[in-house]
Amino acid sequence: MLSVTGSAIAYRLFDVGYAIDLERALDLLAASAPERVRPVRGEGQALQISNPPITVWLGSELLVVDETAHDVELSARIFDFGVVSLRVRVRPTSACDWEQFTLFGRRLEHHPGITALVQVQLQQLCERMRPAIERPAVADVHEDYTVFRITHLTDESGTPLSAAALAALDVVPLLLNETRPLSAEARRELLPHRFTYYGDDLALLTWENALVVEPREEDTDLQYILEFANAQLLELRYYDSQLDAELPRLYDAIEAARARRSVFPGRRFAALLSRLQAQVADSTELVERVENALKVTDDVYLARVYSAALELFRGRAWRAGIDRKLAILRETYAMLNSEAQALRSETLEIAIVVLIVGELVMALLRG
């Protein structure tokens, strides 16, 4: 029987504004001892973070799971591109084996009490740092992720499991929420992202959660990387949804502008062109800022985990979708601008003809 010491860390990520001034947020959150954290492992040097996020301690609360009260630790990580990640860390109340830890994790993954705690903390945190948030507004799109973090995993004799033994763990019920045995092919397809660095660690990634076995309590670099990737995913999803909503509104606005009567027809699209220009500039600027927030400079352990997380979260596909929609907006801008220029030229030609006819009429009247 395996003995497990670990916890479940539930991440709830929200877009709270266009951008956050982290230096100002540091001052506003000084009472919570905020700090700027970077990866500390040697492999972390392969990751360049232009503006490290702020980590804030938010205290502790009680969470009732199956009539048992658990102490939970609350904290947050704040990113300059407008994302706040709330973290709820829950530990089993007593020592447990692997099956008990699996059951504990499954009960926590979508526990409504976590959502209630997070909503209260999010509101309070946003109020505290509101002056540091540019265009504050909590978006409907959010991201959920759970990391099952294990610091000690030993066999019946108390010997820590090796990397090879860790690889043989039945993680399907915990990570995939499946109770029936999966085929070998399904396991390969659903759990392809498996990493180990030392002889006693393991990282397994899935779309909704991850298992991290790391004996050193203070080493949270993998969690840092996964949280960063989720924050970037949230922003890509958010701007993709913004552009999805913008396109139908744009088509309606074009029809309304064309139907509008104006003394100067070339000015019909002025407001619409300005709106399009601002939308494209905002979306392009923020998406570039999000993608450049963390750069991989070498193919070492943390960098490989980060790249795998982006692949798993389909970051490239989200970015490609945004680029296609931005291309539609740019093409629409060019079309409307050309149409406006044509209307101006037509109006100018009509004005010139009217002036010529007027001159001829005046000349005939004088004659």
Side-chain angles (χ1 to χ4, degrees), residues 339-358:
E339 189 171 334
Q341 293 288 355
L343 287 170
R344 291 191 190 99
S345 298
E346 185 178 334
T347 302
L348 181 60
E349 290 170 2
I350 292 172
I352 292 171
V353 170
V354 169
L355 287 174
I356 293 173
V357 171

Side-chain angles (χ1 to χ4, degrees), residues 122-342:
L122 178 65
Q123 183 178 1
Q124 293 176 353
L125 186 61
C126 288
E127 285 299 322
R128 291 174 63 188
M129 64 175 188
R130 183 171 292 275
I133 304 175
E134 182 180 347
R135 306 182 209 170
V138 178
D140 293 333
V141 179
H142 60 88
E143 196 64 42
D144 299 347
Y145 202 75
T146 303
V147 172
F148 301 106
R149 170 66 189 260
I150 295 176
T151 52
H152 294 93
L153 188 57
T154 58
D155 60 18
E156 295 86 346
S157 64
T159 303
L161 267 64
S162 65
L166 289 172
L169 286 173
D170 182 14
V171 298
V172 170
L174 178 65
L175 297 183
L176 302 179
N177 202 26
E178 290 284 354
T179 55
R180 295 177 60 189
L182 295 183
S183 67
E185 182 180 358
R187 290 175 67 94
R188 285 194 302 271
E189 291 179 354
L190 297 174
L191 295 169
H193 302 290
R194 181 187 297 262
F195 303 90
T196 183
Y197 191 76
Y198 296 107
D200 56 357
D201 64 11
L202 174 70
L204 272 168
L205 313 185
T206 71
W207 171 264
E208 290 189 333
N209 46 46
L211 171 65
V212 176
V213 181
E214 173 53 66
R216 292 169 295 179
E217 184 84 34
E218 71 281 1
D219 189 344
T220 59
D221 285 354
L222 272 173
Q223 292 155 230
Y224 185 101
I225 294 304
L226 292 174
E227 189 175 18
F228 216 116
N230 270 281
Q232 293 173 304
L233 168 65
L234 172 62
E235 285 303 273
L236 293 177
R237 288 184 57 217
Y238 171 67
Y239 272 88
D240 184 75
S241 68
Q242 289 288 97
L243 294 173
D244 273 341
E246 177 63 23
L247 291 175
R249 290 197 298 262
L250 174 63
Y251 301 144
D252 292 340
I254 291 172
E255 291 301 318
R258 283 179 172 153
R260 190 178 304 123
R261 294 183 178 276
S262 174
V263 177
F264 302 102
R267 298 289 298 169
R268 288 177 185 170
F269 303 120
L272 189 53
L273 287 170
S274 178
R275 169 179 148 189
L276 269 173
Q277 194 173 38
Q279 179 77 42
V280 170
D282 280 357
S283 299
T284 303
E285 191 268 340
L286 187 73
V287 169
E288 291 294 333
R289 182 148 46 96
V290 167
E291 291 199 327
N292 291 328
L294 191 154
K295 292 182 178 179
V296 177
T297 60
D298 198 3
D299 185 25
V300 293
Y301 184 60
L302 289 179
R304 287 192 294 114
V305 173
Y306 173 66
S307 297
L310 291 183
E311 177 188 346
L312 180 64
F313 300 155
R314 300 178 64 246
R316 291 180 181 173
W318 287 108
R319 177 58 197 262
I322 290 172
D323 287 342
R324 284 194 301 272
K325 289 157 193 171
L326 286 174
I328 292 172
L329 292 183
R330 292 189 184 100
E331 290 167 5
T332 303
Y333 179 91
M335 176 194 70
L336 291 177
N337 192 48
S338 297
E339 189 171 334
Q341 293 288 355

Side-chain angles (χ1 to χ4, degrees), residues 9-11 55 73-77 85-89 227:
I9 307 159
Y11 295 83
T55 303
E73 301 168 5
L74 301 168
S75 59
R77 188 159 278 157
S85 172
L86 276 297
R87 290 98 61 87
V88 181
R89 182 169 189 160
E227 189 175 18

